[in-house]
Amino acid sequence: DLANRKLYLRSTALNVSAGIPEVESRVLFRGDRGRLYAYTKIGENFKQCWSVNTVEAVPAPPSGTPKNPLARAKPAEGRFSVPGRDGPSEKHVLYLDQEKRVQLFADGDTELVAINFDDLRRDLSSGILISDWSTAPVADETFEPESDWQCKDYKFLE
């Protein structure tokens, strides 16, 4: 929710190692509160919750309509393959600086399907496959730490 400075991100990694079958992370950014909440679950026995003050690190923008930071991405010519997807995708490229770029892959104008992060100086890339992308309105309760986090002891960074 760009206008209200809210973000919800959930990620899961499976078969990380023989001893770690699954890792789940959930991140909630609440710019309106100046807080970032993070939940990490590794296997069944480890859970950790964080609450981080973001007032200085991510200050509120000047008043007015916030701009989508991804709108600076430029479309690349051609169509591109994305692993695990049927058919080609469109690519949009955003240079963060001379050495770093982000590549966004989409099916048409509506569904984000992958993101690549490239460190051009070190010749390194990291990619994320995205499923169930939606730009539909999101209920306010989505941006609250969930009861299943079972966070009795938050770690606070102020």
Side-chain angles (χ1 to χ4, degrees):
D1 184 345
L2 182 63
N4 294 311
R5 301 185 65 229
K6 297 176 184 177
L7 171 77
Y8 175 84
L9 172 71
R10 180 178 180 268
S11 64
T12 304
L14 300 174
N15 302 317
V16 176
S17 71
I20 303 175
E22 182 176 4
V23 175
E24 178 185 2
S25 295
R26 298 185 209 175
V27 177
L28 294 171
F29 173 67
R30 291 292 307 256
D32 58 329
R33 294 181 186 167
R35 305 276 342 146
L36 181 127
Y37 303 96
Y39 168 79
T40 302
K41 178 180 172 188
I42 301 173
E44 290 301 317
N45 298 319
F46 179 84
K47 295 177 185 169
Q48 191 170 65
C49 300
W50 289 86
S51 178
V52 180
N53 181 339
T54 63
V55 172
E56 290 181 24
V58 188
S63 61
T65 305
K67 294 182 181 178
N68 183 338
L70 302 178
R72 293 187 357 234
K74 305 288 185 221
E77 288 189 35
R79 304 276 288 168
F80 301 85
S81 295
V82 173
R85 300 291 299 191
D86 292 332
S89 296
E90 296 175 6
K91 178 168 73 169
H92 300 266
V93 180
L94 173 65
Y95 282 88
L96 303 176
D97 60 29
Q98 294 280 351
E99 299 176 347
K100 296 182 183 98
R101 106 181 138 199
V102 177
Q103 300 179 82
L104 306 166
F105 296 87
D107 281 352
D109 292 330
T110 59
E111 186 180 7
L112 186 64
V113 297
I115 302 174
N116 283 352
F117 302 94
D118 303 314
D119 183 329
L120 304 172
R121 183 179 59 82
R122 296 189 297 171
D123 197 27
L124 297 172
S125 291
S126 179
I128 299 171
L129 296 176
I130 298 169
S131 61
D132 302 324
W133 177 263
S134 173
T135 57
V138 179
D140 280 341
E141 57 267 12
T142 301
F143 300 104
E144 296 294 336
E146 298 173 41
S147 60
D148 70 338
W149 289 19
Q150 300 172 350
C151 296
K152 294 178 179 71
D153 297 316
Y154 274 99
K155 310 251 188 252
F156 287 92
L157 289 176
E158 297 296 332

